Amino acid sequence: MLDQIKQQIEHIKGMGATYVDTRWYPIEETNTLTMWNGNLKEATFVRESGIGVRVLYQGAWGFSASSDTNDLAGLYIKAFDNARIAAERVTLPVRLAEKDAIQARFASPNRINPMEVPLAEKVAFLQQMDKKLNQSGVSQRITSLNFIRKQIIFVDSEGSEIEKQITEVFAQLSVMGQDAQGEMHERSFNLGQVGKNTRGWESIDLQLFSENAERIVGELNEILVAEPCPKDDRAVILLPGIMFLQTHETIGHALELDRILGYELAYAGGSFVTLEDFGRLRYGSEKLTARADATLPNSPGSFGYDDDGIPAQNNILIDEGILVGAITGRQMVEEANAKARRQIFNGSGGANRATAFYRVPIERMTNINIDPGVDGDLGDIIASTERGLVMDGARSWSIGSNREQFHFATEIAWLVEDGQRTRVVKNPTYMGNTLEFWNSLSAVGNESTWKVEFVPNCGKGQPNQIMQLGHGVPTCRFDHVRVGE
Ligand SMILES: [Zn+2]
């Protein structure tokens, strides 16, 4: 098969294409299980395989994909024809940044392949967790497992040949309960990075989940009898369970280069960031350093090589508060440099990924992380806060289409008064303008507060592409934030 792919690439190259690549997925498997109040609500196993071909001809892309690999020649000709027809209409010819030809392999670190674990063992885990969550105050309990395993073989006309074996494990526990006023509240636990080692089935650690099951039930019961969140201007101290979403929505999406160039306008929106802003815009206080780090060991945002065949990189996006980088791929960096009439980007940032063989790669977040800071642990940050709210758990979010402002509701919050964490409040919310908010960053927790949260379902692109990634974030404090509205 590999030889046939290489022959076809050569053939299309011979017809005048400037670039051809192929992503062959010999196998992709997805296994999802959900238990709702003790009943197995969902147990699906999906297996697919296929091949996707991109052809660049006279500055225009053509794409074709099929799960039928019997007529490879037809598939490549279709991609070529699509490019040829598109080339008649192209206004801005596509140029690709230079790259090295690479022969390599990558496998996400895992010990036990989750696809080989018997269904009975997975169901038994869900039942055990369901039992733990089935306690007073809890009216709805959900436990879920989601496994992805895919093999991707990338070959291009520039001499690259890369094989990837990606294994992802996601898991969630969630409890809901009704307070005396009839309002529903929720508390949940999502599996993130455990240690730095592996994330196969072995990361479904019974003790870890049991401890967290007990914790979220206890916290839900505190929420159920809590007073409402005050309407107020005060500091918010965001734990990683909400800090990851703040980073995702107001740094990650805002800094996708295709989005900045307007390619997501018809769907997810644009970005308030312009090409003039790179190297100049103050995006946050001096305490803010953010990066796109695809080299972080063991996270869904670490994948070895992107779908342009570019090696994983660790790129600074915001350097002590100044915007310096974006989430980029081969095509967009060239387009951005040309439009800005200056060299903003020096080659691809290695962030072009497709969700499946039948989608084209687009710029996707890798691990969009915030560096740990020097303001101590959570206790230190609370102790230095006069009036604040410690917030955790993403409940709902709404964000301006250009990411210029946001409103988030969290699952739980604790009041902070005179340096002491006091009681839980219910229905906590906070809102702000992106730049004003990041500029009010007044404390960044040390390594002990830093945690890698996983995102299994980031959506982008038309047709929609769901992507997996991570966020390594510390606990952070922001001053003078509007809360409770
Ligand atoms: Zn997203």
Side-chain angles (χ1 to χ4, degrees):
M1 179 79 171
L2 197 54
D3 286 341
Q4 292 176 48
I5 287 172
K6 288 178 184 168
Q7 268 173 26
Q8 291 300 329
I9 289 177
E10 278 312 303
H11 180 63
I12 299 298
K13 196 88 202 296
M15 292 170 76
T18 45
Y19 173 81
V20 187
D21 73 17
T22 302
R23 282 172 301 114
W24 170 35
Y25 286 52
I27 193 156
E28 168 159 12
E29 295 172 317
T30 311
N31 181 203
T32 307
L33 294 101
T34 307
M35 185 163 281
W36 190 301
N37 285 356
N39 297 305
L40 191 62
K41 185 169 176 277
E42 180 188 12
T44 57
F45 186 87
V46 177
R47 177 181 284 160
E48 56 187 30
S49 68
I51 186 164
V53 177
R54 279 195 308 179
V55 171
L56 188 59
Y57 176 75
Q58 292 188 355
W61 282 118
F63 179 71
S64 73
S66 179
S67 53
D68 177 3
T69 53
N70 289 315
D71 181 20
L72 274 189
L75 188 69
Y76 280 82
I77 288 295
K78 194 172 172 194
F80 180 76
D81 279 344
N82 286 341
R84 202 172 41 77
I85 292 161
E88 292 168 14
R89 290 160 180 78
V90 82
T91 48
L92 187 76
V94 172
R95 287 181 49 204
L96 299 177
E98 294 287 318
K99 69 161 183 173
D100 295 328
I102 285 170
Q103 290 80 40
R105 277 166 183 271
F106 172 83
S108 8
N110 70 102
R111 278 208 316 277
I112 304 167
N113 176 358
M115 298 303 173
E116 285 169 4
V117 174
L119 180 64
E121 205 175 314
K122 293 171 180 166
V123 174
F125 169 79
L126 295 177
Q127 283 172 323
Q128 257 176 307
M129 284 306 118
D130 182 75
K131 218 166 137 188
K132 287 240 179 281
L133 298 175
N134 192 4
Q135 293 183 44
S136 158
V138 178
S139 59
Q140 304 271 344
R141 44 190 204 277
I142 304 166
T143 57
S144 66
L145 292 168
N146 175 223
F147 307 105
I148 303 169
R149 193 165 163 93
K150 53 187 165 186
Q151 186 189 5
I152 307 171
I153 295 165
F154 173 89
V155 187
D156 72 12
S157 59
E158 296 176 354
S160 288
E161 194 177 321
I162 297 164
E163 182 175 347
K164 291 190 282 190
Q165 179 85 57
I166 305 285
T167 307
E168 308 288 10
V169 173
F170 302 102
Q172 189 190 42
L173 307 176
S174 176
V175 284
M176 280 169 266
Q178 210 171 21
D179 66 17
Q181 289 74 41
E183 270 181 34
M184 289 298 278
H185 300 274
E186 183 179 359
R187 191 72 183 107
S188 56
F189 165 70
N190 291 283
L191 178 67
Q193 191 183 72
V194 183
K196 283 186 175 164
N197 302 323
T198 64
R199 64 172 188 291
W201 172 254
E202 66 275 10
S203 59
I204 305 300
D205 177 87
L206 204 57
Q207 197 191 333
L208 173 78
F209 280 84
S210 298
E211 284 168 10
N212 281 289
E214 206 169 300
R215 177 177 61 83
I216 62 172
V217 168
E219 289 178 354
L220 177 70
N221 276 291
E222 287 185 71
I223 297 167
L224 293 181
V225 295
E227 298 284 314
C229 175
K231 284 191 197 346
D232 203 358
D233 273 320
R234 53 170 66 212
V236 296
I237 298 168
L238 304 185
L239 300 183
I242 181 65
M243 189 59 203
F244 85 95
L245 191 69
Q246 183 70 51
T247 305
H248 183 92
E249 302 295 359
T250 64
I251 290 181
H253 279 303
L255 295 186
E256 290 160 345
L257 188 52
D258 56 347
R259 199 171 170 130
I260 291 169
L261 290 169
Y263 284 99
E264 275 283 295
L265 278 174
Y267 181 55
S271 174
F272 66 88
V273 172
T274 67
L275 295 177
E276 286 71 48
D277 291 334
F278 288 95
R280 298 181 188 125
L281 179 68
R282 175 152 288 283
Y283 206 107
S285 78
E286 283 173 7
K287 289 180 179 286
L288 176 64
T289 292
R291 56 184 74 235
D293 183 4
T295 69
L296 182 74
N298 185 22
S299 166
S302 306
F303 38 82
Y305 304 85
D306 78 354
D307 290 332
D308 284 335
I310 305 283
Q313 297 171 24
N314 179 0
N315 294 319
I316 294 190
L317 301 174
I318 299 168
D319 188 9
E320 295 182 354
I322 302 296
L323 177 68
V324 294
I327 295 159
T328 66
R330 279 186 95 185
Q331 176 183 348
M332 293 301 151
V333 290
E334 288 292 310
E335 186 171 325
N337 287 342
K339 283 186 172 159
R341 296 170 196 270
R342 67 182 173 115
Q343 174 116 358
I344 305 173
F345 302 103
N346 187 13
S348 166
N352 228 23
R353 280 196 290 166
T355 188
F357 69 86
Y358 48 83
R359 293 283 184 265
V360 293
I362 53 177
E363 267 115 353
R364 302 308 304 247
M365 287 181 227
T366 57
N367 301 291
I368 308 305
N369 301 346
I370 307 283
D371 284 2
V374 294
D375 298 303
D377 61 17
L378 175 61
D380 296 326
I381 294 176
I382 291 172
S384 64
T385 304
E386 205 177 312
R387 290 170 62 254
L389 269 185
V390 176
M391 309 183 89
D392 196 26
R395 187 144 192 235
S396 76
W397 49 97
S398 91
I399 312 110
S401 66
N402 290 328
R403 308 280 142 165
E404 62 279 72
Q405 68 275 111
F406 60 87
H407 182 279
F408 291 125
T410 64
E411 292 176 350
I412 191 167
W414 294 262
L415 284 179
V416 174
E417 305 289 350
D418 297 324
Q420 300 282 332
R421 188 188 323 208
T422 60
R423 59 182 200 280
V424 167
V425 291
K426 68 178 180 181
N427 294 328
T429 62
Y430 70 102
M431 61 195 284
N433 294 312
T434 299
L435 291 182
E436 208 176 288
F437 183 76
W438 285 107
N439 274 291
S440 76
L441 176 65
S442 64
V444 178
N446 63 22
E447 195 80 41
S448 77
T449 72
W450 198 82
K451 206 180 151 208
V452 181
E453 301 279 350
F454 294 166
V455 176
N457 56 358
C458 176
K460 191 183 169 188
Q462 284 180 303
N464 190 247
Q465 300 197 36
I466 299 297
M467 194 48 82
Q468 298 76 40
L469 54 110
H471 293 288
V473 285
T475 294
C476 288
R477 184 184 63 206
F478 302 84
D479 290 339
H480 303 296
V481 178
R482 197 78 204 135
V483 303
E485 297 190 277

